[in-house]
Amino acid sequence: SQTIHQWPATLVQPVGSPLSLECTVEGTSNPNLYWYRQAAGRGLQLLFYSVGIGQISSEVPQNLSASRPQDRQFILSSKKLLLSDSGFYLCAWSDRGLEAFFGQGTRLTVV
Amino acid sequence: DQQVKQNSPSLSVQEGRISILNCDYTNSMFDYFLWYKKYPAEGPTFLISISSIKDKNEDGRFTVFLNKSAKHLSLHIVPSQPGDSAVYFCAAAIQGAQKLVFGQGTRLTINP
């Protein structure tokens, strides 16, 4: 069966520090991969998605970037965090279908 | 531009009664709709979906209704149980577009 791993579960980072969140999927090949953010009291905002290695689509211009160095690995990064980057970050995958399956999420607090 | 809207941020329902969660969309190109359930500090889990060729899909206690002319869908949960207390997100997609657009979510509380 397919599983998705996302870490860390919580993270507190100072303003201006770098960020790296990692997500890996097991049990499937060539999945679509997604990064979402849920800001406090708001819905799920799609940040990036990838349909293959090295292919990244950005949905919202911002202080973040994404990379897919391997088929089942998706990384969310920032060179310098802002206070507004705080939120709950979710990685998800889909098997070319429409149902997306989510990881457990990372609570990021920028202080 | 919020293409998928859940206008009720919260809903409180008595245990055993019916819960009705609503969702509106603006993009007439959407042809596939999903509902997700989310507990605090966890990722959303898929509940039920419906294609635009149908107007109803049922799975146990959960039924999704789609009104294409009104660009409206709803999720019915009956009977409601305490474990149903969570945030519910509706999502919409254009098949082949590879991504989902989510609403803001509705927090459902089931009271004993």
Side-chain angles (χ1 to χ4, degrees):
Chain A
S1 65
Q2 300 87 359
T3 56
I4 179 168
H5 303 280
Q6 184 182 343
W7 67 92
T10 59
L11 190 60
V12 180
Q13 291 283 99
V15 169
S17 64
L19 173 73
S20 181
L21 301 181
E22 188 165 343
C23 172
T24 58
V25 180
E26 296 177 357
T28 186
S29 296
N30 200 24
N32 285 359
L33 296 173
Y34 306 87
W35 279 111
Y36 285 88
R37 177 171 61 197
Q38 183 184 16
R42 302 185 66 179
L44 297 174
Q45 181 184 38
L46 178 62
L47 302 176
F48 301 94
Y49 71 97
S50 171
V51 299
I53 295 174
Q55 301 179 60
I56 307 295
S57 296
S58 174
E59 289 294 298
V60 182
Q62 59 210 316
N63 186 40
L64 302 167
S65 62
S67 62
R68 185 171 177 171
Q70 300 181 45
D71 180 45
R72 289 168 288 176
Q73 183 185 27
F74 205 25
I75 298 171
L76 182 69
S77 304
S78 174
K79 292 182 179 179
K80 290 185 177 182
L81 283 168
L82 306 172
L83 286 174
S84 58
D85 292 324
S86 293
F88 191 58
Y89 288 83
L90 290 154
C91 180
W93 72 274
S94 73
D95 189 14
R96 305 299 177 189
L98 292 164
E99 287 84 6
F101 301 93
F102 286 82
Q104 290 298 295
T106 297
R107 170 73 58 194
L108 172 66
T109 304
V110 182
V111 296
Chain B
D1 178 29
Q2 190 75 28
Q3 297 186 71
V4 179
K5 299 179 183 179
Q6 295 176 256
N7 292 317
S8 298
S10 62
L11 177 67
S12 186
V13 175
Q14 193 169 2
E15 182 179 359
R17 307 292 289 269
I18 184 170
S19 296
I20 301 176
L21 298 126
N22 295 303
C23 179
D24 298 295
Y25 61 96
T26 57
N27 189 342
S28 58
M29 296 294 291
F30 287 142
D31 57 4
Y32 196 75
F33 304 88
L34 308 90
W35 284 94
Y36 282 80
K37 174 181 180 180
K38 185 183 181 300
Y39 292 118
E42 294 185 8
T45 54
F46 169 72
L47 266 180
I48 192 169
S49 62
I50 188 167
S51 166
S52 61
I53 63 173
K54 296 184 176 181
D55 54 18
K56 176 183 175 181
N57 189 26
E58 188 173 356
D59 183 2
R61 297 186 298 114
F62 302 91
T63 303
V64 56
F65 295 92
L66 176 62
N67 182 334
K68 290 185 289 293
S69 61
K71 294 191 181 67
H72 177 83
L73 66 154
S74 61
L75 175 68
H76 292 209
I77 306 173
V78 56
S80 300
Q81 299 174 353
D84 296 330
S85 294
V87 176
Y88 289 79
F89 290 96
C90 70
I94 302 169
Q95 295 192 55
Q98 312 277 17
K99 59 184 180 180
L100 299 175
V101 179
F102 282 85
Q104 308 97 309
T106 296
R107 181 177 302 278
L108 175 65
T109 302
I110 306 301
N111 302 307

